[in-house]
Tab-separated table of all heavy atoms in Angstrom:
chain	number	residue	atom	x	y	z
A	1	MET	N	-113.828	-128.111	79.478
A	1	MET	CA	-113.650	-129.302	78.803
A	1	MET	C	-114.809	-130.261	79.022
A	1	MET	O	-115.204	-130.458	80.226
A	1	MET	CB	-112.250	-129.957	79.136
A	1	MET	CG	-112.087	-131.291	78.430
A	1	MET	SD	-110.742	-132.237	78.981
A	1	MET	CE	-109.381	-131.113	78.659
A	2	LEU	N	-115.362	-130.721	78.017
A	2	LEU	CA	-116.334	-131.892	78.190
A	2	LEU	C	-115.678	-133.173	78.046
A	2	LEU	O	-114.833	-133.401	77.239
A	2	LEU	CB	-117.329	-131.668	77.016
A	2	LEU	CG	-118.352	-132.848	76.763
A	2	LEU	CD1	-119.383	-132.719	78.022
A	2	LEU	CD2	-119.139	-132.595	75.521
A	3	VAL	N	-115.986	-133.966	79.127
A	3	VAL	CA	-115.390	-135.294	79.214
A	3	VAL	C	-116.525	-136.320	79.052
A	3	VAL	O	-117.497	-136.277	79.866
A	3	VAL	CB	-114.619	-135.525	80.615
A	3	VAL	CG1	-114.086	-136.903	80.631
A	3	VAL	CG2	-113.569	-134.503	80.742
A	4	LEU	N	-116.395	-137.240	78.138
A	4	LEU	CA	-117.367	-138.187	77.870
A	4	LEU	C	-116.830	-139.621	77.918
A	4	LEU	O	-115.560	-139.853	77.670
A	4	LEU	CB	-117.944	-138.106	76.398
A	4	LEU	CG	-118.591	-136.671	76.136
A	4	LEU	CD1	-118.893	-136.609	74.552
A	4	LEU	CD2	-119.792	-136.539	76.986
A	5	SER	N	-117.667	-140.640	78.337
A	5	SER	CA	-117.252	-142.003	78.359
A	5	SER	C	-117.831	-142.580	76.991
A	5	SER	O	-118.988	-142.471	76.657
A	5	SER	CB	-117.827	-142.690	79.511
A	5	SER	OG	-117.197	-142.247	80.694
A	6	ARG	N	-117.056	-143.381	76.277
A	6	ARG	CA	-117.524	-144.065	75.111
A	6	ARG	C	-116.929	-145.520	75.134
A	6	ARG	O	-115.876	-145.780	75.663
A	6	ARG	CB	-116.992	-143.473	73.832
A	6	ARG	CG	-117.400	-141.970	73.642
A	6	ARG	CD	-118.894	-141.891	73.106
A	6	ARG	NE	-119.872	-142.051	74.165
A	6	ARG	CZ	-121.155	-142.423	73.955
A	6	ARG	NH1	-121.602	-142.571	72.730
A	6	ARG	NH2	-121.927	-142.596	74.998
A	7	LYS	N	-117.629	-146.395	74.567
A	7	LYS	CA	-117.235	-147.813	74.383
A	7	LYS	C	-116.681	-148.057	73.071
A	7	LYS	O	-116.953	-147.220	72.091
A	7	LYS	CB	-118.390	-148.761	74.770
A	7	LYS	CG	-118.804	-148.644	76.234
A	7	LYS	CD	-119.922	-149.603	76.466
A	7	LYS	CE	-120.396	-149.495	78.016
A	7	LYS	NZ	-121.640	-150.295	78.237
A	8	LEU	N	-116.095	-149.121	72.809
A	8	LEU	CA	-115.526	-149.431	71.475
A	8	LEU	C	-116.633	-149.398	70.426
A	8	LEU	O	-117.713	-150.008	70.732
A	8	LEU	CB	-114.987	-150.921	71.516
A	8	LEU	CG	-114.221	-151.431	70.265
A	8	LEU	CD1	-113.020	-150.558	69.896
A	8	LEU	CD2	-113.881	-152.831	70.475
A	9	GLY	N	-116.461	-148.791	69.434
A	9	GLY	CA	-117.324	-148.646	68.262
A	9	GLY	C	-118.330	-147.454	68.457
A	9	GLY	O	-119.063	-147.107	67.583
A	10	GLU	N	-118.380	-146.838	69.656
A	10	GLU	CA	-119.316	-145.702	69.791
A	10	GLU	C	-118.710	-144.441	69.304
A	10	GLU	O	-117.440	-144.323	69.262
A	10	GLU	CB	-119.663	-145.568	71.260
A	10	GLU	CG	-120.506	-146.721	71.788
A	10	GLU	CD	-120.934	-146.532	73.292
A	10	GLU	OE1	-120.265	-145.874	74.063
A	10	GLU	OE2	-121.964	-147.133	73.622
A	11	SER	N	-119.436	-143.407	68.954
A	11	SER	CA	-119.019	-142.185	68.381
A	11	SER	C	-119.503	-140.928	69.113
A	11	SER	O	-120.427	-141.021	69.922
A	11	SER	CB	-119.646	-142.153	66.913
A	11	SER	OG	-119.068	-143.191	66.109
A	12	ILE	N	-118.806	-139.896	68.789
A	12	ILE	CA	-119.216	-138.525	69.228
A	12	ILE	C	-119.370	-137.666	68.019
A	12	ILE	O	-118.440	-137.620	67.222
A	12	ILE	CB	-118.067	-137.955	70.202
A	12	ILE	CG1	-117.980	-138.882	71.477
A	12	ILE	CG2	-118.443	-136.555	70.609
A	12	ILE	CD1	-116.753	-138.575	72.238
A	13	GLN	N	-120.359	-136.937	67.936
A	13	GLN	CA	-120.669	-136.009	66.731
A	13	GLN	C	-120.224	-134.686	67.189
A	13	GLN	O	-120.683	-134.159	68.188
A	13	GLN	CB	-122.065	-136.043	66.305
A	13	GLN	CG	-122.346	-135.348	65.052
A	13	GLN	CD	-121.959	-136.028	63.777
A	13	GLN	OE1	-121.798	-137.259	63.833
A	13	GLN	NE2	-121.460	-135.323	62.870
A	14	ILE	N	-119.456	-133.947	66.441
A	14	ILE	CA	-119.082	-132.591	66.723
A	14	ILE	C	-119.509	-131.750	65.522
A	14	ILE	O	-119.054	-131.886	64.391
A	14	ILE	CB	-117.460	-132.396	66.834
A	14	ILE	CG1	-117.000	-133.317	67.915
A	14	ILE	CG2	-117.177	-130.922	67.098
A	14	ILE	CD1	-115.480	-133.482	68.096
A	15	GLY	N	-120.499	-130.952	65.770
A	15	GLY	CA	-121.162	-130.121	64.695
A	15	GLY	C	-121.800	-131.023	63.797
A	15	GLY	O	-122.128	-132.148	64.088
A	16	ALA	N	-122.001	-130.585	62.568
A	16	ALA	CA	-122.684	-131.370	61.536
A	16	ALA	C	-121.701	-132.239	60.735
A	16	ALA	O	-122.133	-133.242	60.100
A	16	ALA	CB	-123.485	-130.470	60.568
A	17	ASP	N	-120.406	-131.951	60.706
A	17	ASP	CA	-119.455	-132.599	59.857
A	17	ASP	C	-118.374	-133.410	60.402
A	17	ASP	O	-117.697	-134.069	59.674
A	17	ASP	CB	-118.737	-131.383	58.985
A	17	ASP	CG	-119.745	-130.628	58.096
A	17	ASP	OD1	-120.799	-131.243	57.705
A	17	ASP	OD2	-119.438	-129.431	57.912
A	18	VAL	N	-118.222	-133.485	61.751
A	18	VAL	CA	-117.124	-134.179	62.302
A	18	VAL	C	-117.691	-135.264	63.261
A	18	VAL	O	-118.454	-135.041	64.185
A	18	VAL	CB	-116.144	-133.254	63.110
A	18	VAL	CG1	-115.015	-133.898	63.770
A	18	VAL	CG2	-115.673	-132.084	62.175
A	19	ARG	N	-117.122	-136.467	63.067
A	19	ARG	CA	-117.503	-137.637	63.905
A	19	ARG	C	-116.236	-138.253	64.391
A	19	ARG	O	-115.221	-138.510	63.637
A	19	ARG	CB	-118.322	-138.709	63.163
A	19	ARG	CG	-118.733	-139.811	63.983
A	19	ARG	CD	-119.527	-140.851	63.255
A	19	ARG	NE	-120.308	-140.219	62.140
A	19	ARG	CZ	-121.346	-140.765	61.537
A	19	ARG	NH1	-121.572	-142.015	61.755
A	19	ARG	NH2	-121.999	-140.100	60.716
A	20	VAL	N	-116.228	-138.578	65.745
A	20	VAL	CA	-115.017	-139.264	66.373
A	20	VAL	C	-115.556	-140.560	66.846
A	20	VAL	O	-116.458	-140.597	67.601
A	20	VAL	CB	-114.434	-138.358	67.536
A	20	VAL	CG1	-113.302	-139.021	68.192
A	20	VAL	CG2	-114.024	-136.930	66.984
A	21	THR	N	-114.903	-141.651	66.425
A	21	THR	CA	-115.289	-142.942	66.785
A	21	THR	C	-114.114	-143.645	67.622
A	21	THR	O	-113.044	-143.585	67.081
A	21	THR	CB	-115.651	-143.795	65.485
A	21	THR	OG1	-116.727	-143.075	64.785
A	21	THR	CG2	-116.117	-145.146	65.822
A	22	ILE	N	-114.517	-144.439	68.605
A	22	ILE	CA	-113.507	-145.164	69.250
A	22	ILE	C	-113.298	-146.500	68.437
A	22	ILE	O	-114.172	-147.292	68.179
A	22	ILE	CB	-113.972	-145.623	70.729
A	22	ILE	CG1	-114.403	-144.350	71.485
A	22	ILE	CG2	-113.025	-146.434	71.382
A	22	ILE	CD1	-113.306	-143.393	71.611
A	23	ALA	N	-111.967	-146.559	67.903
A	23	ALA	CA	-111.752	-147.711	66.899
A	23	ALA	C	-111.060	-148.937	67.619
A	23	ALA	O	-111.311	-150.069	67.171
A	23	ALA	CB	-110.800	-147.181	65.809
A	24	LYS	N	-110.306	-148.636	68.632
A	24	LYS	CA	-109.601	-149.756	69.375
A	24	LYS	C	-109.189	-149.328	70.827
A	24	LYS	O	-108.876	-148.297	70.966
A	24	LYS	CB	-108.321	-150.145	68.573
A	24	LYS	CG	-107.578	-151.211	69.148
A	24	LYS	CD	-106.332	-151.584	68.273
A	24	LYS	CE	-105.603	-152.807	68.887
A	24	LYS	NZ	-104.457	-153.123	68.074
A	25	ILE	N	-109.374	-150.270	71.669
A	25	ILE	CA	-108.915	-150.067	73.057
A	25	ILE	C	-107.921	-151.169	73.399
A	25	ILE	O	-108.293	-152.326	73.265
A	25	ILE	CB	-110.081	-150.015	74.043
A	25	ILE	CG1	-111.064	-148.918	73.662
A	25	ILE	CG2	-109.616	-149.819	75.458
A	25	ILE	CD1	-112.417	-148.985	74.461
A	26	ASP	N	-106.673	-150.789	73.855
A	26	ASP	CA	-105.641	-151.802	74.128
A	26	ASP	C	-104.947	-151.301	75.401
A	26	ASP	O	-104.069	-150.494	75.331
A	26	ASP	CB	-104.671	-151.865	72.942
A	26	ASP	CG	-103.739	-152.974	73.144
A	26	ASP	OD1	-103.987	-153.908	73.967
A	26	ASP	OD2	-102.693	-152.963	72.447
A	27	GLY	N	-105.323	-151.869	76.519
A	27	GLY	CA	-104.839	-151.379	77.766
A	27	GLY	C	-105.079	-149.960	78.026
A	27	GLY	O	-106.166	-149.544	78.142
A	28	HIS	N	-104.000	-149.194	78.158
A	28	HIS	CA	-104.136	-147.732	78.377
A	28	HIS	C	-104.125	-146.883	77.111
A	28	HIS	O	-104.029	-145.694	77.198
A	28	HIS	CB	-103.017	-147.222	79.365
A	28	HIS	CG	-103.047	-147.803	80.711
A	28	HIS	ND1	-104.013	-147.389	81.591
A	28	HIS	CD2	-102.342	-148.783	81.360
A	28	HIS	CE1	-103.858	-148.018	82.754
A	28	HIS	NE2	-102.786	-148.885	82.580
A	29	SER	N	-104.123	-147.541	75.953
A	29	SER	CA	-104.108	-146.909	74.707
A	29	SER	C	-105.471	-146.924	73.980
A	29	SER	O	-106.023	-148.051	73.983
A	29	SER	CB	-102.998	-147.507	73.764
A	29	SER	OG	-102.898	-146.868	72.599
A	30	VAL	N	-105.863	-145.926	73.453
A	30	VAL	CA	-107.146	-145.861	72.730
A	30	VAL	C	-106.824	-145.221	71.385
A	30	VAL	O	-106.247	-144.299	71.189
A	30	VAL	CB	-108.215	-144.862	73.485
A	30	VAL	CG1	-109.446	-144.775	72.655
A	30	VAL	CG2	-108.493	-145.334	74.897
A	31	ARG	N	-107.337	-145.936	70.307
A	31	ARG	CA	-107.230	-145.477	68.939
A	31	ARG	C	-108.663	-144.840	68.519
A	31	ARG	O	-109.678	-145.438	68.780
A	31	ARG	CB	-106.868	-146.661	68.008
A	31	ARG	CG	-105.446	-147.232	68.289
A	31	ARG	CD	-105.066	-147.976	67.172
A	31	ARG	NE	-104.384	-147.024	66.277
A	31	ARG	CZ	-103.427	-147.324	65.436
A	31	ARG	NH1	-103.089	-148.618	65.418
A	31	ARG	NH2	-102.734	-146.490	64.732
A	32	ILE	N	-108.490	-143.633	67.939
A	32	ILE	CA	-109.793	-143.029	67.501
A	32	ILE	C	-109.752	-142.832	65.972
A	32	ILE	O	-108.757	-142.723	65.391
A	32	ILE	CB	-110.039	-141.703	68.192
A	32	ILE	CG1	-108.901	-140.671	67.936
A	32	ILE	CG2	-110.157	-141.922	69.733
A	32	ILE	CD1	-109.187	-139.296	68.338
A	33	GLY	N	-110.972	-142.814	65.394
A	33	GLY	CA	-111.082	-142.591	63.917
A	33	GLY	C	-111.831	-141.207	63.810
A	33	GLY	O	-112.795	-140.983	64.694
A	34	ILE	N	-111.396	-140.382	63.036
A	34	ILE	CA	-112.008	-139.077	62.800
A	34	ILE	C	-112.492	-138.953	61.387
A	34	ILE	O	-111.732	-139.086	60.474
A	34	ILE	CB	-111.035	-137.960	63.198
A	34	ILE	CG1	-110.470	-138.132	64.551
A	34	ILE	CG2	-111.644	-136.574	62.982
A	34	ILE	CD1	-109.327	-137.200	64.907
A	35	GLU	N	-113.701	-138.676	61.283
A	35	GLU	CA	-114.395	-138.504	59.989
A	35	GLU	C	-114.652	-136.972	59.835
A	35	GLU	O	-115.487	-136.410	60.742
A	35	GLU	CB	-115.726	-139.184	59.765
A	35	GLU	CG	-115.457	-140.717	59.760
A	35	GLU	CD	-116.846	-141.396	59.722
A	35	GLU	OE1	-117.567	-141.289	58.603
A	35	GLU	OE2	-117.100	-142.107	60.682
A	36	ALA	N	-114.138	-136.299	58.838
A	36	ALA	CA	-114.276	-134.787	58.743
A	36	ALA	C	-114.091	-134.334	57.288
A	36	ALA	O	-113.322	-135.061	56.562
A	36	ALA	CB	-113.325	-134.087	59.641
A	37	PRO	N	-114.570	-133.356	56.827
A	37	PRO	CA	-114.341	-132.854	55.441
A	37	PRO	C	-112.853	-132.534	55.329
A	37	PRO	O	-112.140	-132.221	56.293
A	37	PRO	CB	-115.214	-131.562	55.431
A	37	PRO	CG	-116.098	-131.436	56.589
A	37	PRO	CD	-115.546	-132.493	57.630
A	38	LEU	N	-112.434	-132.575	54.074
A	38	LEU	CA	-111.048	-132.262	53.847
A	38	LEU	C	-110.655	-130.837	54.228
A	38	LEU	O	-109.413	-130.549	54.466
A	38	LEU	CB	-110.740	-132.461	52.331
A	38	LEU	CG	-110.787	-133.954	51.809
A	38	LEU	CD1	-110.546	-133.954	50.344
A	38	LEU	CD2	-109.744	-134.699	52.630
A	39	SER	N	-111.641	-129.921	54.251
A	39	SER	CA	-111.327	-128.542	54.684
A	39	SER	C	-110.978	-128.460	56.235
A	39	SER	O	-110.553	-127.371	56.648
A	39	SER	CB	-112.587	-127.690	54.405
A	39	SER	OG	-113.734	-128.121	55.050
A	40	VAL	N	-111.201	-129.456	56.966
A	40	VAL	CA	-110.964	-129.451	58.373
A	40	VAL	C	-109.540	-129.950	58.634
A	40	VAL	O	-109.279	-131.130	58.240
A	40	VAL	CB	-111.978	-130.285	59.209
A	40	VAL	CG1	-111.673	-130.366	60.669
A	40	VAL	CG2	-113.363	-129.719	58.999
A	41	SER	N	-108.645	-129.201	59.242
A	41	SER	CA	-107.335	-129.635	59.494
A	41	SER	C	-107.329	-130.349	60.860
A	41	SER	O	-107.850	-129.990	61.863
A	41	SER	CB	-106.461	-128.332	59.618
A	41	SER	OG	-105.144	-128.755	59.954
A	42	ILE	N	-106.692	-131.596	60.867
A	42	ILE	CA	-106.653	-132.348	62.050
A	42	ILE	C	-105.155	-132.656	62.320
A	42	ILE	O	-104.490	-133.274	61.470
A	42	ILE	CB	-107.380	-133.780	61.807
A	42	ILE	CG1	-108.914	-133.405	61.474
A	42	ILE	CG2	-107.251	-134.574	63.095
A	42	ILE	CD1	-109.705	-134.707	61.080
A	43	LYS	N	-104.677	-132.279	63.461
A	43	LYS	CA	-103.262	-132.533	63.838
A	43	LYS	C	-103.241	-132.901	65.247
A	43	LYS	O	-103.961	-132.489	66.118
A	43	LYS	CB	-102.519	-131.193	63.582
A	43	LYS	CG	-102.469	-130.770	62.199
A	43	LYS	CD	-101.544	-129.527	62.034
A	43	LYS	CE	-101.413	-129.012	60.639
A	43	LYS	NZ	-102.472	-128.332	60.178
A	44	ARG	N	-102.274	-133.760	65.566
A	44	ARG	CA	-101.962	-134.064	67.013
A	44	ARG	C	-101.387	-132.843	67.717
A	44	ARG	O	-100.525	-132.182	67.097
A	44	ARG	CB	-100.958	-135.247	67.142
A	44	ARG	CG	-101.532	-136.455	66.463
A	44	ARG	CD	-100.595	-137.634	66.798
A	44	ARG	NE	-99.178	-137.357	66.971
A	44	ARG	CZ	-98.185	-137.911	66.287
A	44	ARG	NH1	-98.429	-138.897	65.425
A	44	ARG	NH2	-96.970	-137.564	66.499
A	45	GLN	N	-101.745	-132.606	68.911
A	45	GLN	CA	-101.320	-131.380	69.613
A	45	GLN	C	-99.748	-131.402	69.849
A	45	GLN	O	-99.205	-130.278	69.615
A	45	GLN	CB	-102.056	-131.358	70.966
A	45	GLN	CG	-101.624	-130.064	71.798
A	45	GLN	CD	-102.377	-129.930	73.005
A	45	GLN	OE1	-103.172	-130.844	73.420
A	45	GLN	NE2	-102.161	-128.863	73.830
A	46	GLU	N	-99.157	-132.499	70.144
A	46	GLU	CA	-97.717	-132.558	70.333
A	46	GLU	C	-96.977	-132.139	69.036
A	46	GLU	O	-95.862	-131.642	69.079
A	46	GLU	CB	-97.219	-133.787	70.886
A	46	GLU	CG	-97.436	-135.015	69.895
A	46	GLU	CD	-98.754	-135.765	70.062
A	46	GLU	OE1	-99.689	-135.217	70.557
A	46	GLU	OE2	-98.854	-136.966	69.627
A	47	ILE	N	-97.570	-132.355	67.810
A	47	ILE	CA	-96.875	-131.930	66.583
A	47	ILE	C	-97.018	-130.434	66.460
A	47	ILE	O	-96.026	-129.810	66.019
A	47	ILE	CB	-97.573	-132.691	65.462
A	47	ILE	CG1	-97.453	-134.167	65.534
A	47	ILE	CG2	-97.031	-132.175	64.087
A	47	ILE	CD1	-96.092	-134.782	65.520
A	48	ILE	N	-98.071	-129.926	66.783
A	48	ILE	CA	-98.300	-128.458	66.633
A	48	ILE	C	-97.291	-127.679	67.434
A	48	ILE	O	-96.753	-126.619	66.934
A	48	ILE	CB	-99.806	-127.993	67.059
A	48	ILE	CG1	-100.752	-128.634	66.151
A	48	ILE	CG2	-99.871	-126.540	67.076
A	48	ILE	CD1	-102.176	-128.466	66.525
A	49	PHE	N	-97.006	-128.071	68.705
A	49	PHE	CA	-96.135	-127.379	69.660
A	49	PHE	C	-94.663	-127.874	69.556
A	49	PHE	O	-93.884	-127.358	70.195
A	49	PHE	CB	-96.697	-127.525	71.008
A	49	PHE	CG	-98.016	-126.760	71.169
A	49	PHE	CD1	-99.152	-127.445	71.352
A	49	PHE	CD2	-98.062	-125.376	70.997
A	49	PHE	CE1	-100.394	-126.915	71.483
A	49	PHE	CE2	-99.314	-124.749	71.109
A	49	PHE	CZ	-100.429	-125.529	71.410
A	50	GLU	N	-94.396	-128.801	68.727
A	50	GLU	CA	-92.979	-129.337	68.675
A	50	GLU	C	-92.155	-128.353	67.836
A	50	GLU	O	-92.561	-127.721	66.879
A	50	GLU	CB	-93.024	-130.649	67.744
A	50	GLU	CG	-91.748	-131.355	67.600
A	50	GLU	CD	-91.943	-132.656	66.866
A	50	GLU	OE1	-92.247	-133.662	67.529
A	50	GLU	OE2	-91.893	-132.675	65.602
A	51	ALA	N	-90.831	-128.193	68.427
A	51	ALA	CA	-89.933	-127.281	67.780
A	51	ALA	C	-89.602	-127.816	66.446
A	51	ALA	O	-89.382	-129.078	66.243
A	51	ALA	CB	-88.688	-127.069	68.668
A	52	PRO	N	-89.374	-127.148	65.384
A	52	PRO	CA	-88.971	-127.552	64.115
A	52	PRO	C	-87.559	-128.132	64.179
A	52	PRO	O	-86.687	-127.656	64.931
A	52	PRO	CB	-89.128	-126.386	63.159
A	52	PRO	CG	-89.034	-125.240	64.050
A	52	PRO	CD	-89.647	-125.621	65.351
A	53	SER	N	-87.192	-129.189	63.346
A	53	SER	CA	-85.871	-129.689	63.202
A	53	SER	C	-84.969	-128.708	62.625
A	53	SER	O	-85.517	-127.674	61.926
A	53	SER	CB	-85.956	-131.084	62.500
A	53	SER	OG	-86.348	-130.774	61.162
A	54	GLU	N	-83.701	-128.973	62.605
A	54	GLU	CA	-82.749	-127.918	62.001
A	54	GLU	C	-83.084	-128.041	60.476
A	54	GLU	O	-83.031	-126.887	59.841
A	54	GLU	CB	-81.339	-128.351	62.148
A	54	GLU	CG	-80.860	-128.021	63.507
A	54	GLU	CD	-79.388	-128.378	63.815
A	54	GLU	OE1	-78.648	-128.063	62.805
A	54	GLU	OE2	-79.020	-128.705	64.880
A	55	GLU	N	-83.379	-129.143	59.865
A	55	GLU	CA	-83.673	-129.129	58.404
A	55	GLU	C	-84.910	-128.319	58.086
A	55	GLU	O	-84.947	-127.584	57.109
A	55	GLU	CB	-83.795	-130.572	57.925
A	55	GLU	CG	-82.502	-131.380	57.955
A	55	GLU	CD	-82.824	-132.898	57.670
A	55	GLU	OE1	-83.908	-133.309	57.400
A	55	GLU	OE2	-81.825	-133.655	57.545
A	56	ALA	N	-85.973	-128.526	58.969
A	56	ALA	CA	-87.218	-127.852	58.693
A	56	ALA	C	-87.027	-126.375	58.912
A	56	ALA	O	-87.535	-125.527	58.099
A	56	ALA	CB	-88.290	-128.319	59.634
A	57	ALA	N	-86.221	-125.902	59.805
A	57	ALA	CA	-85.850	-124.526	60.081
A	57	ALA	C	-85.139	-123.935	58.909
A	57	ALA	O	-85.493	-122.828	58.522
A	57	ALA	CB	-85.161	-124.350	61.409
A	58	GLU	N	-84.289	-124.625	58.340
A	58	GLU	CA	-83.528	-124.222	57.213
A	58	GLU	C	-84.412	-124.126	55.903
A	58	GLU	O	-84.293	-123.007	55.184
A	58	GLU	CB	-82.358	-125.280	56.875
A	58	GLU	CG	-81.514	-124.750	55.702
A	58	GLU	CD	-80.808	-123.507	55.964
A	58	GLU	OE1	-80.406	-123.208	57.086
A	58	GLU	OE2	-80.485	-122.726	55.013
A	59	ARG	N	-85.355	-125.071	55.728
A	59	ARG	CA	-86.280	-124.882	54.652
A	59	ARG	C	-87.255	-123.603	54.830
A	59	ARG	O	-87.438	-122.935	53.843
A	59	ARG	CB	-87.183	-126.107	54.531
A	59	ARG	CG	-86.418	-127.308	53.879
A	59	ARG	CD	-87.376	-128.421	53.569
A	59	ARG	NE	-88.273	-128.903	54.649
A	59	ARG	CZ	-87.892	-129.857	55.442
A	59	ARG	NH1	-86.781	-130.540	55.368
A	59	ARG	NH2	-88.692	-130.142	56.423
A	60	ILE	N	-87.596	-123.368	56.058
A	60	ILE	CA	-88.460	-122.200	56.350
A	60	ILE	C	-87.627	-120.930	56.028
A	60	ILE	O	-88.126	-120.021	55.353
A	60	ILE	CB	-88.947	-122.174	57.812
A	60	ILE	CG1	-89.912	-123.424	57.967
A	60	ILE	CG2	-89.592	-120.921	58.110
A	60	ILE	CD1	-90.194	-123.674	59.478
A	61	LEU	N	-86.406	-120.864	56.484
A	61	LEU	CA	-85.508	-119.629	56.187
A	61	LEU	C	-85.365	-119.532	54.713
A	61	LEU	O	-85.428	-118.340	54.224
A	61	LEU	CB	-84.145	-119.836	56.921
A	61	LEU	CG	-84.227	-119.636	58.439
A	61	LEU	CD1	-82.899	-119.946	59.115
A	61	LEU	CD2	-84.704	-118.254	58.845
A	62	GLN	N	-85.159	-120.571	53.940
A	62	GLN	CA	-84.954	-120.465	52.520
A	62	GLN	C	-86.188	-119.991	51.863
A	62	GLN	O	-86.121	-119.161	50.940
A	62	GLN	CB	-84.493	-121.737	51.899
A	62	GLN	CG	-83.026	-122.195	52.311
A	62	GLN	CD	-82.647	-123.495	51.792
A	62	GLN	OE1	-83.571	-124.298	51.199
A	62	GLN	NE2	-81.427	-123.903	51.857
A	63	ALA	N	-87.317	-120.413	52.245
A	63	ALA	CA	-88.603	-120.026	51.742
A	63	ALA	C	-88.852	-118.528	52.006
A	63	ALA	O	-89.377	-117.809	51.108
A	63	ALA	CB	-89.764	-120.874	52.224
A	64	VAL	N	-88.559	-118.164	53.135
A	64	VAL	CA	-88.858	-116.694	53.465
A	64	VAL	C	-87.897	-115.777	52.731
A	64	VAL	O	-88.277	-114.704	52.399
A	64	VAL	CB	-88.667	-116.567	54.981
A	64	VAL	CG1	-88.715	-115.070	55.477
A	64	VAL	CG2	-89.749	-117.300	55.762
A	65	SER	N	-86.638	-116.185	52.659
A	65	SER	CA	-85.688	-115.320	51.983
A	65	SER	C	-85.740	-115.300	50.481
A	65	SER	O	-85.101	-114.444	49.824
A	65	SER	CB	-84.322	-115.635	52.419
A	65	SER	OG	-83.935	-116.954	51.979
A	66	ALA	N	-86.547	-116.190	49.903
A	66	ALA	CA	-86.690	-116.268	48.498
A	66	ALA	C	-87.555	-115.112	47.818
A	66	ALA	O	-88.360	-114.448	48.370
A	66	ALA	CB	-87.268	-117.599	48.057
């Protein structure tokens, strides 16, 4: 893992198409802005590994059985 220090307003370029900018720093919270092509999927890690709700699981089962 690469660990970098950035100040408010500074950016990190990832490849040719993705830029991450420090948008706001408030105590222990940091807001980032991500500029990327629409073809790049951006998701928070906790959402990816979160178990689906009962409603979401039911929708998935209905879609699979259709």
Side-chain angles (χ1 to χ4, degrees):
M1 174 189 300
L2 174 64
V3 178
L4 301 171
S5 296
R6 300 280 77 201
K7 294 180 182 174
L8 184 62
E10 293 183 334
S11 298
I12 298 166
Q13 188 75 30
I14 302 173
D17 297 331
V18 178
R19 182 182 324 194
V20 179
T21 302
I22 305 303
K24 182 178 180 182
I25 302 172
D26 186 18
H28 293 289
S29 179
V30 177
R31 296 194 89 152
I32 60 170
I34 303 171
E35 295 175 65
L38 292 176
S39 61
V40 175
S41 177
I42 302 170
K43 295 181 178 84
R44 296 186 333 228
Q45 184 175 2
E46 65 270 18
I47 298 298
I48 295 170
F49 295 110
E50 183 177 272
S53 66
E54 284 187 37
E55 291 174 357
E58 182 64 31
R59 285 194 304 270
I60 293 168
L61 288 175
Q62 288 176 354
V64 170
S65 63

